[in-house]
Amino acid sequence: MRKTKIALLSLSVLMASCVEAQTPPSTDAIKKLIEPRLGENVKVDSVTATPYSGLYEVRIGSDILYTDKTATYLVNGHIFNLTTGADLTRERIEEITKIKFSDLPLDKALKSVKGDGSRVIAVFEDPNCGYCKRLRQTTLKETDNVTIYTFMYNILSDDSFVKSKNVWCAPDRQKAWDDWMLNGKVPATAAASCESPNDEILALGRKLGIQGTPAIFFADGSRIPGAIDSKALEDKFSKLKK
């Protein structure tokens, strides 16, 4: 009887050891391992377990990387579901970069209403951005029934600040913006006493992690970085209704 108890006790200890060995490491432990391996100035915001074959998501700002449980390997790329075609990494980035649209200071944006204005977007643009001009001249010109809030986000040059101030101080701001973006007509020089929200919009854009222009935000808080065509914009609007 004594031998049986000893055997059972030994078996219990062995099973406990096996369970402990199979317990996955904590995400905090992985974060502590990988952060110094990525470089001195890299700050890892979070590490999260994923359902993708033992991979862990490493979030650095709005960037997503992947590693293993030992933080030995690093995967820089997107994960796709081959059954549905979904870009799972892109979906995750959209999730973590969502904003609360109602928190945007819309009084510091230019406002344009087309048609019934039922669909609402906010666009961050630099007046010297070629892709922004293309977006204006094609996609936004072709899209109807939309309210467009334009934030003049000056990140390309000092001249961008000058042009944006001149637009903001114009008698008709939206016309001055359209004249420049669509037709290349330089806005009149603003009075020195006129104040613009340039610095506030620059700070806002940085807070939102906008690294390039144009950047389009939708009513649900999601965003699309870069210029898109009319079809892509309509597809996005259609998904918002679901």
Side-chain angles (χ1 to χ4, degrees), residues 17-184:
S17 299
C18 290
V19 170
E20 184 176 354
Q22 293 173 359
T23 301
S26 70
T27 52
D28 286 340
I30 296 174
K31 182 180 177 182
K32 288 179 181 178
L33 283 172
I34 197 167
E35 192 167 60
R37 296 176 181 176
L38 295 176
E40 292 183 6
N41 299 319
V42 176
K43 170 65 176 174
V44 174
D45 294 300
S46 66
V47 173
T48 309
T50 78
Y52 319 134
S53 303
L55 289 178
Y56 289 80
E57 172 193 293
V58 180
R59 183 170 71 83
I60 304 171
S62 59
D63 294 326
I64 298 288
L65 304 171
Y66 301 96
T67 191
D68 64 302
K69 65 182 180 181
T70 66
T72 301
Y73 302 99
L74 188 69
V75 179
N76 182 7
H78 284 219
I79 294 177
F80 293 84
N81 184 322
L82 295 180
T83 302
T84 64
D87 183 338
L88 302 176
T89 303
R90 169 52 57 191
E91 291 178 358
R92 178 66 176 139
I93 292 173
E94 289 179 356
E95 178 185 346
I96 66 176
T97 58
K98 270 193 172 184
I99 66 166
K100 189 174 180 181
F101 195 92
S102 59
D103 284 346
L104 291 174
L106 300 180
D107 60 318
K108 294 178 174 61
L110 310 179
K111 182 180 179 181
S112 174
V113 180
K114 299 182 67 178
D116 62 20
S118 56
R119 304 179 298 182
V120 182
I121 59 174
V123 188
F124 284 70
E125 300 177 69
D126 185 297
N128 289 316
C129 165
Y131 290 107
C132 299
K133 292 178 181 178
R134 186 184 305 174
L135 180 72
R136 285 276 157 185
Q137 295 165 0
T138 56
T139 304
L140 298 185
K141 187 176 180 180
E142 297 164 1
T143 303
D144 201 7
N145 298 325
V146 62
T147 298
I148 305 168
Y149 289 97
T150 302
F151 289 93
M152 294 180 286
Y153 183 48
N154 309 299
I155 58 174
L156 293 181
S157 68
D158 291 340
D159 179 68
S160 297
F161 283 87
V162 174
K163 283 192 172 72
S164 290
K165 179 177 179 178
N166 292 342
V167 168
W168 185 260
C169 296
D172 187 334
R173 294 169 179 168
Q174 188 60 53
K175 183 178 185 304
W177 180 253
D178 287 340
D179 281 347
W180 167 247
M181 298 297 280
L182 298 178
N183 305 314

